[in-house]
Amino acid sequence: MMRIGASISDWFGMLTHTVARIRNVFLIFGVIVACLLCIACGSGHQNATPDPSQSTAKAENGHVFKGPYARKFADTYNSLQTGFARGLIEDGKISEKDINALEFKVEGCVDAQAQSEDDFITFIWEEGTTTPTPYHGANAKRMNKIAKQCMERYDGYKINDLSHYVYVHEHPDDNDQSK
């Protein structure tokens, strides 16, 4: 306890002690903030492409997928109803050639039910997916329904979802989801 008539050296000692305590509090606070920043920076970007060697996943039938999207491929593979669609992705990749094969199948299905050349199907290619161009005109309702049924018959929507997923993750600067 300080007495009323304390000398300057007593006040100076007390001031030095107080400054040292404040400095230690700020030092501890700074270390905590730095640690939190390091943890936050180390968590990585959520849309970053996974390491190609990081994963393997097994489909229900025992087929093993390897690579950065193994789990997504296995889940999609399990949900597919056709051997055609499974054949497109069983190599653990989805390519433009695979999408073109899907287009060809769906096109054949739709065109077989067309009543005129106006009913022949065309596709829109966008961000790794292909979708039938919506019909307009006299047979639009019927042909849009047929196109949807054909896409479902060959698991086209599921293949498109997988292809889009891979495309978005491999081309993060080339899609709307990254903005």
Side-chain angles (χ1 to χ4, degrees), residues 41 43-49 172:
C41 291
S43 65
H45 187 268
Q46 295 301 322
N47 289 332
T49 302

mmCIF file of all heavy atoms in Angstrom, residues 41 43-49 172:
data_model
loop_
_atom_site.group_PDB
_atom_site.id
_atom_site.type_symbol
_atom_site.label_atom_id
_atom_site.label_comp_id
_atom_site.label_asym_id
_atom_site.label_seq_id
_atom_site.Cartn_x
_atom_site.Cartn_y
_atom_site.Cartn_z
ATOM 1 N N CYS A 41 -7.594 -19.472 -41.601
ATOM 2 C CA CYS A 41 -6.920 -19.560 -42.904
ATOM 3 C C CYS A 41 -6.648 -20.999 -43.284
ATOM 4 O O CYS A 41 -6.692 -21.360 -44.450
ATOM 5 C CB CYS A 41 -5.608 -18.792 -42.871
ATOM 6 S SG CYS A 41 -5.844 -17.009 -42.752
ATOM 7 N N SER A 43 -8.504 -23.535 -42.831
ATOM 8 C CA SER A 43 -9.690 -24.329 -43.153
ATOM 9 C C SER A 43 -9.883 -24.485 -44.642
ATOM 10 O O SER A 43 -10.615 -25.351 -45.092
ATOM 11 C CB SER A 43 -10.935 -23.702 -42.518
ATOM 12 O OG SER A 43 -11.188 -22.436 -43.080
ATOM 13 N N GLY A 44 -9.277 -23.658 -45.467
ATOM 14 C CA GLY A 44 -9.332 -23.812 -46.907
ATOM 15 C C GLY A 44 -10.602 -23.267 -47.523
ATOM 16 O O GLY A 44 -11.556 -22.955 -46.861
ATOM 17 N N HIS A 45 -10.576 -23.183 -48.828
ATOM 18 C CA HIS A 45 -11.713 -22.701 -49.617
ATOM 19 C C HIS A 45 -12.657 -23.862 -49.847
ATOM 20 O O HIS A 45 -12.264 -24.920 -50.293
ATOM 21 C CB HIS A 45 -11.165 -22.156 -50.955
ATOM 22 C CG HIS A 45 -12.187 -21.491 -51.782
ATOM 23 N ND1 HIS A 45 -12.902 -22.159 -52.731
ATOM 24 C CD2 HIS A 45 -12.625 -20.214 -51.803
ATOM 25 C CE1 HIS A 45 -13.733 -21.328 -53.309
ATOM 26 N NE2 HIS A 45 -13.573 -20.134 -52.771
ATOM 27 N N GLN A 46 -13.937 -23.673 -49.557
ATOM 28 C CA GLN A 46 -14.899 -24.771 -49.609
ATOM 29 C C GLN A 46 -15.118 -25.304 -51.015
ATOM 30 O O GLN A 46 -15.464 -26.458 -51.196
ATOM 31 C CB GLN A 46 -16.240 -24.320 -49.009
ATOM 32 C CG GLN A 46 -16.141 -23.994 -47.536
ATOM 33 C CD GLN A 46 -15.660 -25.174 -46.710
ATOM 34 O OE1 GLN A 46 -16.015 -26.314 -46.953
ATOM 35 N NE2 GLN A 46 -14.820 -24.903 -45.733
ATOM 36 N N ASN A 47 -14.938 -24.474 -52.053
ATOM 37 C CA ASN A 47 -15.166 -24.924 -53.415
ATOM 38 C C ASN A 47 -13.873 -25.341 -54.112
ATOM 39 O O ASN A 47 -13.867 -25.586 -55.302
ATOM 40 C CB ASN A 47 -15.848 -23.818 -54.235
ATOM 41 C CG ASN A 47 -17.272 -23.618 -53.804
ATOM 42 O OD1 ASN A 47 -17.907 -24.549 -53.325
ATOM 43 N ND2 ASN A 47 -17.782 -22.412 -53.968
ATOM 44 N N ALA A 48 -12.797 -25.422 -53.380
ATOM 45 C CA ALA A 48 -11.526 -25.795 -53.985
ATOM 46 C C ALA A 48 -11.584 -27.234 -54.483
ATOM 47 O O ALA A 48 -12.262 -28.075 -53.924
ATOM 48 C CB ALA A 48 -10.397 -25.640 -52.965
ATOM 49 N N THR A 49 -10.853 -27.493 -55.563
ATOM 50 C CA THR A 49 -10.814 -28.835 -56.114
ATOM 51 C C THR A 49 -10.108 -29.757 -55.133
ATOM 52 O O THR A 49 -9.010 -29.459 -54.678
ATOM 53 C CB THR A 49 -10.058 -28.833 -57.461
ATOM 54 O OG1 THR A 49 -10.713 -27.922 -58.332
ATOM 55 C CG2 THR A 49 -10.020 -30.206 -58.076
ATOM 56 N N PRO A 172 -13.779 -23.164 -61.359
ATOM 57 C CA PRO A 172 -14.432 -22.256 -60.406
ATOM 58 C C PRO A 172 -14.576 -20.826 -60.911
ATOM 59 O O PRO A 172 -15.471 -20.118 -60.484
ATOM 60 C CB PRO A 172 -13.537 -22.320 -59.171
ATOM 61 C CG PRO A 172 -12.226 -22.800 -59.671
ATOM 62 C CD PRO A 172 -12.507 -23.672 -60.847
#
